[in-house]
Amino acid sequence: MQRFKNNMSGGWLIKQELRLFRNFMRNWKHDVSDSDFFSIFDNDDNAAKKEAKLFLKKYFSLETLALCDSVGIERVRDRTQDKGRIVDFSLKRCSTNDLICELWNKGRASRAHCREMLEDWCNVLEARKSRVGRGKDPLETRMDEICRVLGLNAVERDILVYAAVRFMTTFDDAPVNGMDGLGDKIMFIAMAIDRPSDSVLDALSENGRLRRYEVLDDEGDFVGRSNPFLAYLAKGEGEMLEGRFYRKTPIEDALPWAYYGKLAEEQGGILRRMITSAKSGKRGVNILFYGEPGSGKTSFAKTLAKELGLDLFEIRQGDRKGDQIGPQSRMTGIRICNNQVPRERSLILVDESDQLLRTNADLFADLFGGVVASGSEKGVINSILDETKLPTIWITNTPANALDASVRRRFDYSIRFGKLGAPQRLAIWRNSIKKFRLERLIPAELAEQFAQKYITSAGGIAMVLENVKRMRPPKAQVADLIEALLKPYCALMETKMVDEALLPTRDYSLEGLNIKGAVALDRIVEAVRNFRDTKDEECDPDRPRMNILLWGPPGTGKTEFVKYLGKTLNSRVMVKMGSDLLSQWVGGTEKNIQRAFDEAEADNAILFLDEIDGLVQDRSGARNSWEVTQVNELLNRMENFKGTLVGATNFLSNLDTAIMRRFTFKLEFDYLDEGGKRVFFERMFKTRLAEAEARRLAAIPNLVPGDFRTARQALFYLGGTVTNEVRLGELEKESALKKGGGRRMGF
């Protein structure tokens, strides 16, 4: 540790070492077994050795030294016997600390002389060091800073100084046999700092500041090699101590409050009241933001701070070198931040808190949606949550049920974030374009196009635009470049672009469909448009929700109609099969239903539940309680859904009657009638039918639009001239297959 001493211009560290050495000499009344304790008297410099010899002769007679000399001779003889020679022992060749140890152990009188000699020697060293450098030692300044930040009292400061001296010098804490237990350690520290043992024991208790802030352990040693306080103490140039734990986060570029729409409207009021009350109360509040990565949790926290006029202080995740900060240091940072930042105008952000909140998760826990944590880890995080003085936002990508119950119940409020909806993505695109000053390069309509097409995060959008700014392509090439950057990013992050397969086929129209219902399809489309264009606050509170049920045989055009609806209304269609939402775990289906509705509502998408009968069969035939609860969950979500829901089934009789009542429109898609068959034949095959051919087509039973597409695909690669005779033959084959009761999926 000599490198540390060399950096201490004022010699404060050496002075503290001397102080501790003096204190222990005065307080220790017994023998010393470890001669290294007196190494402060030892020096390799020849002049110093000569001076040490004079000191020994000043305080001890030659007869006493000769007696120690004989002991020294025996030691030298033992060490050199393997070389076949004996080295004569002389005072100047003797280890000084060995001699002093022998003298100390000769009795009280000799020990008193040792104390007097060592005190004199310490004065000499101290005088020499005081002549080196002027001004306050940087190490002392940093020690003062640590004590200020942690709020240490005089005893705690002395213990911290003791720990620093032990780590950075040769000061030894084991001068006697058997001094290795906790009680012995406490006794040694008490003697070295000249404080009562009880006060030392209290300062190093679990509830003491030195332990709570993870500075020292119960034996007075620094915790861990990467201890941030030790690192700051040893070499603290650059940022202040607080900066190693937290930083003030810029919020000037935060998204406007209005961009968060429903989230701001429904959650903003309670968040405002909760955070405002916490500033004036005795304790803070803990707010949990959880959900999928890239769902806007961090950006909303910044917007919230800006909206409330508060400074946002983020607990650091990495140091200046970019190395990750461990959980213990981050938890210490939370405590420090709570004590240092102004209460009346501060909001704390603990981003990426998964590791902190999940504590010690294992594979078994992950498989079953829970977490196993050690008592100490849970105890620390729980105490931090209980002790919070300021409003604190915790952000995690971990599902709520993966957090330990004792952790979850300590949050005053929580918000689940789903995937960013198209309006939020568009807001981020616009804000990021402005941030990177790309307004002239990227027109507004292009931003809207990509916001609709790519389901990506704020970080992905920022990454793309940063690269666009760096490359500065010609304006004509911008769209292609953004596309080229977005596609691999979405693939890497396993996010999707809006599925182009959900667009209707190029030859699809409503003409020719055999729909049985009181309202025509084109009027249904108009009704949905009016519903989506009208805001909730502008409508009658009793207005019906836009829930539409499509039922009928496979292939009759149900799915194609939903695609057509999405394209006509310029809206994303989010498809969920009934089987997609079913879970093997109890309660899992209900959660999947919740997520589907939340995502659709956030994205203002049309939610299409295909094969809904597999999800909500009649409860009268239910054998298990969970079959009832999943139907109840869907009923509740349908009742409160503010978006557009379309359900489709081939088996109407299987649906629960309560589900049926919650559909505003119910449309039966039946087999094509004579006119519909002709429309689809001529549209699909781009040809006219002769009268005889038309009569033959009319005689084919149970044809649906999907049959015409299947026939067209079967004839596509045959080459040559395909006649209507062949086409009609393919359609007859498709019809004949249905007589066997075979079931096809979809259109």
Side-chain angles (χ1 to χ4, degrees), residues 714-732:
L715 301 172
F716 187 85
Y717 294 107
L718 294 182
T721 302
V722 179
T723 64
N724 286 345
E725 176 76 20
V726 175
R727 295 172 180 134
L728 290 168
E730 286 295 323
L731 290 171
E732 288 169 341

Side-chain angles (χ1 to χ4, degrees), residues 133 185 242 270 330 499 594 667:
K185 296 280 187 180
E242 294 101 320
I270 190 168
R330 294 196 74 198
D499 195 351
Q594 292 171 11
L667 304 175

Side-chain angles (χ1 to χ4, degrees), residues 498-732:
V498 176
D499 195 351
E500 294 181 350
L502 294 176
L503 297 175
T505 55
R506 55 182 171 80
D507 48 16
Y508 180 83
S509 76
L510 301 182
E511 185 185 5
L513 295 175
N514 187 11
I515 308 300
K516 296 179 180 179
V519 184
L521 280 185
D522 58 343
R523 297 298 306 278
I524 297 291
V525 175
E526 183 183 354
V528 176
R529 187 192 305 276
N530 292 335
F531 174 85
R532 294 172 65 84
D533 289 345
T534 307
K535 296 181 178 178
D536 281 350
E537 58 268 22
E538 299 174 354
C539 302
D540 188 315
D542 296 326
R543 71 165 182 165
R545 297 303 181 192
M546 189 51 65
N547 300 330
I548 305 170
L549 177 65
L550 313 179
W551 63 280
T556 49
K558 301 184 294 295
T559 301
E560 283 296 305
F561 171 69
V562 181
K563 295 178 183 178
Y564 173 85
L565 187 64
K567 182 182 181 183
T568 303
L569 301 179
N570 192 28
S571 175
R572 175 194 170 199
V573 177
M574 195 178 88
V575 181
K576 295 291 183 181
M577 305 294 290
S579 56
D580 295 338
L581 301 178
L582 292 174
S583 172
Q584 60 181 322
W585 308 113
V586 176
T589 301
E590 291 88 327
K591 291 178 181 178
N592 291 340
I593 293 171
Q594 292 171 11
R595 282 193 286 267
F597 276 87
D598 289 344
E599 182 181 345
E601 193 164 318
D603 207 16
N604 196 26
I606 297 173
L607 178 58
F608 180 36
L609 299 182
D610 202 2
E611 298 185 351
I612 192 174
D613 53 282
L615 182 67
V616 288
Q617 294 190 10
D618 193 340
R619 286 171 293 181
S620 63
R623 298 181 179 180
N624 302 293
S625 60
W626 52 264
E627 294 177 283
V628 176
T629 59
Q630 66 188 34
V631 175
N632 291 340
E633 179 61 32
L634 182 60
L635 288 170
N636 179 61
R637 302 300 294 199
M638 289 178 65
E639 189 73 30
N640 296 286
F641 187 47
K642 296 181 180 180
T644 304
L645 169 69
V646 182
T649 178
N650 301 330
F651 303 97
L652 185 66
S653 60
N654 291 345
L655 293 182
D656 190 278
T657 54
I659 293 288
M660 294 286 292
R661 289 197 301 270
R662 281 165 172 78
F663 285 107
T664 309
F665 297 102
K666 306 175 186 66
L667 304 175
E668 180 184 2
F669 284 66
D670 204 354
Y671 295 112
L672 297 175
D673 57 20
E674 184 176 340
K677 294 175 187 177
R678 190 158 186 166
V679 167
F680 274 91
F681 189 97
E682 293 180 352
R683 185 189 301 150
M684 290 284 186
F685 299 119
K686 310 299 181 188
T687 185
R688 294 281 183 178
L689 286 165
E691 287 302 318
E693 293 169 339
R695 289 193 296 272
R696 181 179 172 184
L697 175 63
I700 303 174
N702 300 333
L703 286 180
V704 297
D707 295 330
F708 292 86
R709 177 179 294 176
T710 302
R712 185 175 67 177
Q713 292 173 337
L715 301 172
F716 187 85
Y717 294 107
L718 294 182
T721 302
V722 179
T723 64
N724 286 345
E725 176 76 20
V726 175
R727 295 172 180 134
L728 290 168
E730 286 295 323
L731 290 171
E732 288 169 341

Side-chain angles (χ1 to χ4, degrees), residues 252-309:
E252 291 77 16
D253 61 344
L255 291 170
W257 184 252
Y259 283 179
Y260 286 93
K262 175 187 173 184
L263 179 62
E265 294 170 7
E266 296 185 358
Q267 316 284 359
I270 190 168
L271 286 173
R272 184 187 301 274
R273 292 194 298 272
M274 183 172 288
I275 292 172
T276 302
S277 63
K279 292 191 297 181
S280 57
K282 293 184 178 181
R283 65 174 294 270
V285 294
N286 294 297
I287 301 167
L288 180 67
F289 291 176
Y290 67 101
E292 299 183 24
S295 54
K297 300 183 292 293
T298 303
S299 75
F300 182 67
K302 293 179 179 179
T303 297
L304 179 62
K306 187 177 182 179
E307 176 70 10
L308 299 178

Side-chain angles (χ1 to χ4, degrees), residues 41 46-56 121 124 128:
F41 200 81
N46 287 330
K49 284 185 175 182
K50 186 176 181 180
E51 189 174 11
K53 180 180 179 180
L54 294 175
F55 260 79
L56 284 166
W121 181 247
V124 171
R128 289 174 180 173

